Amino acid sequence: MKFIQELFSNWSEKESFPANSIILSETGNADVLYVVLCGELELSLHGEVLGQESAGGIIGEMAMIGAVAGNPTVRAITEVSLARLNRDQFNRLIAANPEFAQHAMAIMASRLRTVNAFISAKLGN
């Protein structure tokens, strides 16, 4: 994900979290999207692991499409560095950078497939 590193190399809003930090909680309301610059994150729902994100991944995408709830719990597996975007920043970025827009949509589609599989497994389908 070299283009992600280049795109966010001078981003002014970056945050770092130590290992085992909870970055987002499924019981909370997210109002930002994070782009993973380095480190590993674990996504879980109701205590069951859905997957992981690493450099180039995004979390909090539901906040960008108007949903105030619906995020999984996100925990740092390792120390992580994240670029923080609010909705206006996200909208400007996807308008100006089609490669990032496609990247974000691919991650969202993958996440939707994962959650659909999780729900199907819970319902016994």
Side-chain angles (χ1 to χ4, degrees):
M1 293 289 130
K2 185 177 179 180
F3 87 94
I4 294 289
Q5 294 298 326
E6 291 172 1
L7 192 59
F8 291 97
S9 64
N10 294 318
W11 196 258
S12 62
E13 297 183 47
K14 294 180 183 175
E15 295 184 27
S16 294
F17 295 89
N20 294 313
S21 297
I22 300 297
I23 296 135
L24 296 174
S25 171
E26 65 192 77
T27 60
N29 292 331
D31 61 352
V32 299
L33 174 135
Y34 289 107
V35 177
V36 183
L37 302 176
C38 68
E40 299 285 329
L41 301 170
E42 176 185 84
L43 289 75
S44 63
L45 193 59
H46 304 297
E48 295 191 39
V49 175
L50 295 176
Q52 295 183 347
E53 288 291 343
S54 58
I58 62 173
I59 58 171
E61 67 279 356
M62 295 298 286
M64 299 300 105
I65 57 173
V68 292
N71 285 303
T73 294
V74 179
R75 179 184 66 85
I77 298 171
T78 65
E79 181 176 345
V80 294
S81 177
L82 309 171
R84 177 186 171 107
L85 289 80
N86 63 32
R87 189 175 291 156
D88 289 338
Q89 291 167 318
F90 176 75
N91 288 335
R92 285 193 304 270
L93 186 59
I94 62 170
N97 192 311
E99 186 176 17
F100 180 75
Q102 289 179 334
H103 177 69
M105 286 187 293
I107 290 173
M108 289 178 186
S110 175
R111 184 96 20 90
L112 180 59
R113 285 189 296 275
T114 300
V115 171
N116 282 342
F118 173 82
I119 292 169
S120 292
K122 287 294 180 188
L123 295 175
N125 295 331

